[in-house]
Amino acid sequence: TLNFTGDTASTTNVDEAEEVAGTYNGAMGTYRCNEAGGCTVTIGDTDTTAEGVQLGISAMSAGWVFTPDAGATSDVPDGDYLNYGFWLKRTTDADGAVTYNEVETFAGSLVAASSNTSAVLGSATYSGNALGVYEHSVVNPDGTEASATSGYFTADVALTATFGQVPVSDTDNTGTIAPNLLNTLSGTINNFMLSGHDTGPGWSAALAGTIATSTGTATGTAKGGGTNDGSYSATFHGSVAAVDGSVPQPTSVVGEFNAFFSNGSVAGGFGARKD
């Protein structure tokens, strides 16, 4: 344990032993003892490795004041991020061969889900990105498959959410939004780029669905022009608690989707923030 003399009266003419260079949350600066009775720092073994014993601080007494250096910065954890994509499940067949041929998609956010959007009004646009896996075919003129590739894709997402009706005025409740658009989530996923390809395939998936206001979720179709329609599911995130009589719109939306094209298919997740 190292002992340092305190000085609560002044910061001038401070003995060098009373100040110690260090970091706080990654920021460089100086620790100074500001306790009349003195301060202590206990140095202990924090890790034993092949290179030897590494010494570190295991305890500090009260009274230390940290002053960051000019321009020092500290990393702050991101508490507002979206997570989406896919993972592959490892499987082993009867012959013992290992494959990763089962795809699972996911989407979420550290921000709490909106849970209920029944009081949210008006329309909002959301933009973001998508990530997932693909299968792409090169088709001969006669319709047969010439070759096929698979891998992962990235894409852009542009969505429009229309929530509850907006009255024309305090005395006119007819509304400014067409009834068929109320509580809907639609848009496109396009600009697909495929791993292993220098140019995109020209795919675009049109999303259209309805919002379940009681849960703040949406489901619908994802049409890519293939023989079959794909689907999507999404969840809104961000507080929709009334503030000063106004209900804010969700700040983000995340979801999972699959789509079929004339020469391929995709499955993945997406995340988009309110513009």
Side-chain angles (χ1 to χ4, degrees):
T1 299
L2 305 180
N3 297 283
F4 298 87
T5 303
D7 180 5
T8 59
S10 172
T11 58
T12 60
N13 301 319
V14 177
D15 184 83
E16 291 183 359
E18 297 171 351
E19 293 188 346
V20 180
T23 62
Y24 184 77
N25 282 346
M28 296 297 298
T30 302
Y31 286 91
R32 176 179 179 273
C33 178
N34 198 43
E35 187 74 27
C39 307
T40 62
V41 173
T42 301
I43 307 298
D45 299 346
T46 59
D47 186 29
T48 302
T49 66
E51 290 77 19
V53 176
Q54 299 176 356
L55 299 180
I57 295 176
S58 59
M60 294 181 67
S61 68
W64 288 104
V65 175
F66 178 76
T67 303
D69 293 343
T73 60
S74 178
D75 292 335
V76 178
D78 184 1
D80 181 15
Y81 65 84
L82 312 179
N83 56 84
Y84 51 90
F86 70 95
W87 55 273
L88 302 179
K89 182 178 179 179
R90 174 176 173 170
T91 59
T92 304
D93 63 20
D95 297 326
V98 176
T99 59
Y100 296 85
N101 57 3
E102 184 174 329
V103 178
E104 296 288 345
T105 59
F106 66 89
S109 174
L110 190 64
V111 177
S114 301
S115 73
N116 188 317
T117 59
S118 58
V120 180
L121 305 180
S123 298
T125 59
Y126 297 81
S127 59
N129 304 102
L131 176 69
V133 293
Y134 76 87
E135 291 182 339
H136 178 256
S137 299
V138 176
V139 182
N140 293 316
D142 62 1
T144 60
E145 184 178 77
S147 63
T149 59
S150 62
Y152 69 88
F153 73 83
T154 59
D156 297 328
V157 178
L159 302 172
T160 297
T162 303
F163 301 100
Q165 187 63 268
V166 177
V168 174
S169 66
D170 292 339
T171 58
D172 186 349
N173 294 321
T174 57
T176 61
I177 301 173
N180 65 304
L181 295 180
L182 294 175
N183 296 310
T184 59
L185 178 66
S186 60
T188 58
I189 300 178
N190 55 20
N191 297 327
F192 283 85
M193 290 300 298
L194 311 181
S195 61
H197 294 255
D198 295 329
T199 59
W203 293 341
S204 181
L207 275 58
T210 57
I211 299 172
T213 59
S214 61
T215 59
T217 60
T219 56
T221 58
K223 296 179 179 291
T227 303
N228 300 316
D229 290 341
S231 62
Y232 84 86
S233 61
T235 301
F236 289 98
H237 289 260
S239 174
V240 291
V243 179
D244 297 329
S246 176
V247 179
Q249 296 170 333
T251 56
S252 61
V253 58
V254 297
E256 303 168 61
F257 77 103
N258 59 80
F260 302 92
F261 310 98
S262 61
N263 59 346
S265 61
V266 294
F270 63 84
R273 296 186 184 278
K274 187 173 180 293
D275 295 325

